[in-house]
Every structure is written in C-alpha cells, then in structure tokens.
Amino acid sequence: MEINENVFSNAEITVTYKPRCCSNAELCARQLSNVFRSSVIPWIDLEGAQTEAIINQIKKCPSGALQYQLKQKDVA
C-alpha cells in the first residue's frame, strides 16, 4: 500500500510529513503537542503555535520526515 505525503498549510508556512520516512521518535508530539497531535485528525495543526516554534521543532526531527517551506510574502 502506498503511503503518500501529508501536506498542511496556513498563511505563513507549508509543512510536509512523509510517513514512510518517520522513525516514530515522537519528539514532535512530545515537545510541541499543540501542533503535532498524536490522537487527533488532522494531526498537524499549524495554528497551535507560532511559525518560528514550528520551524524549530521540525529542525529537531531525527528522520527528516517533517519538512517545511515558508510562503513568500507579497511586497507592495
């Protein structure tokens, strides 16, 4: 069975989760549980913390299953 990437976005950031790469260390859920929720669907809630906190947590992912991309802000 193919397990596809999960993509979550808000106005500032897009987060991609690759389940096939995940080592299930659960650092994300233990350290930033307002965003990375293990018992709720959708399990990533980008409104649960500031973007900077989300980025800092993603950088701690040991397997690289979590990735992020900041959205470009329009400059007038």
Side-chain angles (χ1 to χ4, degrees):
M1 178 169 89
E2 184 67 26
I3 300 174
N4 296 324
E5 294 181 351
N6 294 272
V7 179
F8 304 87
S9 292
N10 67 14
E12 297 179 2
I13 190 171
T14 297
V15 174
T16 305
Y17 169 63
K18 299 178 182 178
R20 299 195 87 159
C21 296
C22 185
S23 65
N24 293 309
E26 298 181 6
L27 289 176
C28 56
R30 281 188 274 132
Q31 295 177 354
L32 196 58
S33 62
N34 289 342
V35 175
F36 302 100
R37 307 169 304 170
S38 59
S39 61
V40 180
I41 295 175
W43 81 275
I44 294 178
D45 178 12
L46 297 177
E47 303 307 319
Q50 296 291 323
T51 299
E52 184 176 334
I54 295 169
I55 291 169
N56 289 336
Q57 189 61 50
I58 289 171
K59 289 179 178 180
K60 296 176 186 177
C61 180
S63 65
L66 291 168
Q67 301 286 318
Y68 73 94
Q69 183 171 0
L70 290 172
K71 294 185 177 182
Q72 292 189 4
K73 296 181 181 182
D74 293 329
V75 178

